[in-house]
Amino acid sequence: MTGLLAHAPVTAATSIIGRTWPIAEPDALSEIESRAAHVPDMKAAFGPRERWSAMKPATLGITRADRHRTVVPFYTLDQDIRLPGGKLLYAKGYSFNPLAYVSLPQRLIVAHPSDLAWALRTARPADFILLAAGGFSQAGDTHADAITLGERHGRALFLLEERVKARLGLTVAPVIVAQAGQKLVLTEVVIAPSPRRAAR
């Protein structure tokens, strides 16, 4: 009985059926490494990231009072939408609310870099954190770019673009943007200033 319970090594025979050929395609990892070696040094080509125009977020004021407000993000077509046969489907100037057709499972947490610690505590795993310019500048992190801060904190961070600021009617930060039915609820939050406000 003890012999039956003991684990005996298992071996399997392999056999080749038919003709075989050596693999002709190059190794994928070797190819990626080879191409990555030839990517130009971005810092040498374009200078430090803080001077890149693409790294300049939209500026927002500082929230002075807790409040909730709503926005309906209507979209107006700037051109006619036609079917492949040419028949007009929607005319230029037609307005609609995208939230009548889609839902946003994640929230947008918009904050200044000085409020990043708060944003990281407040954000759920699926939420997007958008960094805005402006705010308090009491710590070195307030001038770090989103890529550096994201690498430091192990979370993707994004810049607030001017078009998103305008589309959502954002004026201050920090603010939490969440969908409620066919509208967006903007919750503006006051955070007391302190020298340790920035995430480290």
Side-chain angles (χ1 to χ4, degrees), residues 3 48 77-78 87 98 144 157 183 195:
L77 296 178
D78 59 358
K87 181 180 175 185
L157 302 174
K183 60 188 176 184

Side-chain angles (χ1 to χ4, degrees), residues 101-188:
Y101 307 98
V102 297
S103 60
L104 304 173
Q106 69 280 342
R107 301 176 304 166
L108 303 179
I109 310 295
V110 183
H112 298 110
S114 57
D115 297 320
L116 182 55
W118 169 86
L120 291 167
R121 286 193 312 271
T122 304
R124 300 171 188 149
D127 290 344
F128 292 153
I129 298 176
L130 282 66
L131 297 179
F136 295 97
S137 56
Q138 298 161 320
D141 267 2
T142 59
H143 301 295
D145 64 77
I147 297 172
T148 302
L149 290 173
E151 289 168 350
R152 187 176 304 161
H153 296 287
R155 177 161 185 156
L157 302 174
F158 305 92
L159 296 176
L160 175 66
E161 298 178 29
E162 286 290 347
R163 64 189 178 92
V164 174
K165 171 185 170 179
R167 187 104 172 82
L168 300 180
L170 299 175
T171 56
V172 295
V175 59
I176 301 169
V177 182
Q179 182 176 355
Q182 295 188 17
K183 60 188 176 184
L184 296 173
V185 177
L186 280 61
T187 304
E188 297 170 356

Side-chain angles (χ1 to χ4, degrees), residues 25-136:
E25 295 84 8
D27 177 63
L29 182 57
S30 300
E31 207 155 294
I32 291 168
E33 290 170 344
S34 168
R35 291 193 183 190
H38 295 92
V39 171
D41 179 10
M42 297 293 277
K43 192 170 185 178
F46 302 107
R49 278 199 299 245
E50 59 268 15
R51 292 206 313 251
W52 296 359
S53 61
M55 297 298 289
K56 305 292 184 200
T59 302
L60 292 177
I62 299 167
T63 302
R64 301 291 182 195
D66 291 336
R67 72 173 181 153
H68 299 279
R69 59 191 183 88
T70 59
V71 171
V72 179
F74 285 110
Y75 182 78
T76 302
L77 296 178
D78 59 358
Q79 61 183 3
D80 291 341
I81 304 293
R82 297 184 177 276
L83 295 172
K87 181 180 175 185
L88 182 66
L89 185 61
Y90 294 106
K92 176 180 176 179
Y94 173 75
S95 291
F96 66 99
N97 178 4
L99 298 181
Y101 307 98
V102 297
S103 60
L104 304 173
Q106 69 280 342
R107 301 176 304 166
L108 303 179
I109 310 295
V110 183
H112 298 110
S114 57
D115 297 320
L116 182 55
W118 169 86
L120 291 167
R121 286 193 312 271
T122 304
R124 300 171 188 149
D127 290 344
F128 292 153
I129 298 176
L130 282 66
L131 297 179
F136 295 97

